[in-house]
Amino acid sequence: MGCGERGNEMTEVLTEFPHLKDPKTGGPLMDKTVLIANTSNMPVAAREASVYTGITLAEYYRDQGYDVAMMADSTSRWAEAMREISSRLEEMPGEEGYPAYLAARLSEFYERAGRVQTKNDESGSVTVIGAVSPPGGDFSEPVTQNTLRIVKVFWALDSKLAQKRHFPAINWLNSYSLYNRSLEDWYSKNAGEEWNDSIKVAMAVLTEESKLQEIVQLVGSDALPEDQQLTLEVARMLREFYLQQNAFHDVDTYCKISSQSKFLGIILHYKDLAEKAMSSGVEFEKVIGLPILEDIGRSKFEDNMVELLDKYDKVLVDNFTKLMEEA
Amino acid sequence: MQKEYKTIREISGPLVFVEKTDPVSFGELVQISLPDGTTKRGQVLDTSHDIVVVQIFEGTSGIDKQSGVKFLGETIKINLSKDMLGRIMSGAGEPIDGGAPIIPEKRQEIIGAAINPYSRDSPLEFIQTGISTIDGLNTLVMGQKLPIFSGAGLPHNDISLQIARQAQTLGTDRDFAVVFCAMGITDEEAQYFMADFERTGALSRAAVFMNLASDPAVERLITPRMALTTAEYLAFEKGYDVLVILTDMTNYCEALRQIGAAREEVPGRRGYPGYMYTDLAQIYERAGLIKGKSGSVTQIPILTMPGDDITHPIPDLTGYITEGQIVVSRDLHRKGLYPPNFVLPSLSRLMNAGIGDEKTREDHKQVSDQLYAGYAEGNDLRGLVAIVGKEALSERDQKLLEFADEFEERFVTQGREENRTIEDTLEIGWDMLSKLPESALTRIDRKTLEKYHPAYRKK
């Protein structure tokens, strides 16, 4: 659902979708897609209505037993349409000129997502992914705040990451999901036993990195003790190898959850090995200078990533055994 | 015979309130005859009550309650002709260059209809502006709207003129035209624009609309619509690829606010009307391509951010509608660089569609990503150097720091008359990248590196 979209972007979606293949069935993705095209120069009342058109269609399919995902881009445009109409109606403005019923409208909309039992005892669902575009990236504005109050998952896009060409530019520290715990069983079944623990370790490393970065900004990374420099290095690998994905690359654009788990595993395995090696006296430069690390990073561009990683994992262990022996 | 009403009840700012008329249509054109025999033109703004609100284009001074009001039964139209190329017109579409009147091939309403997204064609072709920071890193694509965010006292006028002179498409035999629309500019700027257009010969392929700062604000609201209607006519009926330069959109928005206040509307953010987003969208969305028509309309709106504040409603709402932005930086300008385009916050959302093999060059995307990454990192390091000094940096970091300086001196900086081809731009990029260690070139794959990296090409 494009609400107040740019005309050219809407066209891109309209022309590209019919060519996309459904990765599951191999058929055209368009066969199971409904696009609602509302551009910014269309009348403002149409913009307000477009969101309801979208969610109502989603519910219609849900009642037939489908699992429906609805992308609403962007709910900020929708809220602005409400604001515009409200001001034309000369209603009393609330925060930042938005009508006082903004929060109520937003929650009415998001609460239409959910899982239902249909009348013939099947189950159907509607999942809503709403895009919010806060003016000037300010998350304290009313649309963002009222949305955050209702939703349970938040992906924070970060313009600093985008400027560094880190894509997808999702900030790993600000984003959260409140479903992590309820999905733990699913993850250990589908992604592997170690997944839930790996995620915690990886998050700890990335959080540690952001703290260390503040110090690095002041004194430079060379002034840090070696174990902290290793943390920075592992965090860099997590960011550049694991978190970054190239949406235009045939292979890198989609990474299966099991492959992700493998990838994460090898980075954390390196961390363990490196820590062990350093505590038994291996020089820091040798630990971070292993040429195999580059290969690990590039493996995500290959079709046979899983086999490559298995191979690299063995090389990694061999390398470290050698380093330990030398030391 | 049209009725003439002598029922003006109130005159306020640019607005005239007329009592008890027969039904008139919204947006209808109005002619007002003053007692001294002169006439003024206006447009119906509101017909919802007993009183009709008319906004006057030439200003309301001299109008009194004895003046006669005639409703002309049509909305604002512009005379269109291919001969508008090479001409300079006022903000109301009348020639002001002393030349012959334009003989219309067609008269058309200036309010364009929203293009159905389904009948649009995707923007896919590269437009070369000859400016490295735009062509190389924030490529302009035919049919795109890519604004320049500038500030008071920055050389956006020079940049806009340079683009107007140099912009061209590669590898098509369609004609290229420029529609230059100036809103609320000073008389001096107008002289400068006209002189530059004539001196460089760029006028021969341009239609120039000039609304001066001293012209009434109401006229400023119709000037961009006049310009865009002309552009659409040239593009979709005459097959030109048209580049529309709109400067300065901030003046347009000020006029919008002024008229909104005169109409006693409820003000929105910072006093700008709540419908400013919709209004701007109606202007910006008139860029694009239409299936089955050969021409195209590309827009470069230029706006000055009040107080260099990118979160101000004007740049903010503009950024929502347009496909990216080029940011002009005061810091770079102070360093004496021209054009002071700051690439880090700049972005062209359609870039990927317009570059690559057969459009620009196959390595374009990777070179651009790498230049971006290198400059971003080098720029970050400057803050660090200020604290710890250059010596404390690792060798790699020192290289990156030098890279950032060189990037500004060689890649960003170019002459006002310097027209770089995309090949030149990419070559400068490679030359600078070759000074970085190869391990730092993570955004470039092996194949491209071996084909284009200067160190490999020599062998």
Side-chain angles (χ1 to χ4, degrees), chain B residues 32 65-66 135 187 207 210 224 264 280-281 311 362 398 403 424:
Chain B
I32 297 196
K65 291 186 176 176
Q66 298 304 313
D135 291 351
D187 207 34
M210 295 259 183
E264 297 180 7
L280 287 174
T311 65
E362 54 177 342
Q398 290 199 13
F403 175 80
D424 291 343

Side-chain angles (χ1 to χ4, degrees), chain B residues 153-166:
Chain B
L154 295 177
H156 47 269
N157 284 341
D158 289 347
I159 300 174
S160 67
L161 281 172
Q162 189 169 4
I163 294 172
R165 275 198 307 271
Q166 298 179 350

Side-chain angles (χ1 to χ4, degrees), chain A residues 3-12 14-15 37-44 47 76-77 80 83-84 87-88 90-91 93 96 133-137 163-166 215-222 236 240 244 246 248 294 298, chain B residues 114-115 117-118 120-123 137 143-145 265-266 269 274-275 277-278 281-282 285 287-289 291 311 316-317 319-323 344-347 349-350 352 365 369 372-373 376 380 384 387-388 392-394 439 443-444:
Chain A
C3 171
E5 275 289 324
R6 303 173 175 91
N8 281 332
E9 285 190 350
M10 207 65 243
T11 308
E12 199 184 320
L14 294 182
T15 46
N38 173 270
T39 57
S40 55
N41 54 343
M42 290 179 183
V44 61
R47 199 181 324 145
S76 293
R77 297 295 93 71
E80 259 160 29
R83 174 163 73 180
E84 198 175 318
S87 101
R88 294 265 196 199
E90 300 182 2
E91 291 171 346
E96 289 199 17
S133 14
Q163 281 175 22
K164 285 182 189 155
R165 293 299 185 260
H166 175 115
I215 306 172
V216 170
Q217 287 291 320
L218 291 175
V219 297
S221 63
D222 290 349
R236 187 189 68 83
E240 292 185 4
Q244 277 187 23
N246 183 347
F248 296 99
E294 295 253 326
R298 290 189 204 279
Chain B
I115 308 174
Y118 196 75
R120 278 177 185 264
D121 226 346
S122 297
L137 301 181
Q144 187 179 16
K145 40 200 177 297
E265 291 166 347
V266 183
R269 258 200 298 168
Y275 52 81
Y277 171 78
T278 308
Q282 281 165 357
E285 279 296 342
L289 293 84
K291 275 183 198 154
T311 65
D316 194 43
L317 295 180
Y320 282 153
I321 307 161
T322 54
E323 288 130 355
L344 294 182
S346 302
L347 170 75
R349 288 176 192 269
L350 300 184
N352 289 332
K365 167 98 177 103
D369 281 353
Y372 247 112
D380 275 352
L384 184 59
I387 300 168
V388 298
L393 293 184
S394 67
S439 64
R443 312 293 165 114
I444 298 175

